[in-house]
Amino acid sequence: MRIKFFMAILFTTIALYGCTKEKVQDMPTNAPVQQNNQQVGDTATDQVPFNFLEFSLDVDYSTTDSYEAEYENKKSGIAAKLQNTRNNENLQGDAAYTKLEPLFKQLTFDSTTPNDEVIDQVISVFHIAEDFQSIEIEVEFVDGNEKEFKRLK
């Protein structure tokens, strides 16, 4: 199980960094990224648009239907990806960020929020259909905590 989780994180990281087309080019002014070598949260002037620096959502409905959303806000910039096989939707970069940003703004959880509450909030905000088989959420919060949330049906 740990190996699968590690491989998933490794693959996600490689995919996000390796595909420049996923990088958000036309960054909205209200979505700043980390600057220089500062750690987010080091000063009151640091601004991040959400409570997290990385967000990964993977929902499986069946072996062929899934919903995936990925977001990273790092020193090199913001990367975003959205894939919804049910709607034949495959967005990257600016298009993905434009679609994900309003959803992310609705998420109010932080690293201290109970697991079930985080999952319920993501299901509600992303309008995840009740017929999902599994949902997995991985988050790196601005406070440096990294958490994984899972629910199986």
Side-chain angles (χ1 to χ4, degrees), residues 59-120:
V59 180
D60 290 324
Y61 293 102
S62 69
T63 56
T64 57
D65 287 335
S66 66
Y67 181 96
E68 296 178 28
E70 296 177 7
Y71 166 83
E72 279 193 11
N73 182 349
K74 294 295 182 181
K75 294 176 190 174
S76 59
I78 291 180
K81 181 179 175 183
L82 176 64
Q83 184 176 26
N84 184 348
T85 59
R86 285 188 158 184
N87 296 340
N88 293 324
E89 189 172 39
N90 190 8
L91 305 174
Q92 298 177 357
D94 295 334
Y97 185 81
T98 298
K99 186 130 186 185
L100 292 171
E101 179 187 28
L103 301 174
F104 290 155
K105 285 183 175 182
Q106 296 175 54
L107 298 175
T108 59
F109 62 80
D110 61 23
S111 63
T112 63
T113 306
N115 291 5
D116 284 338
E117 193 175 317
V118 170
I119 294 170
D120 290 343

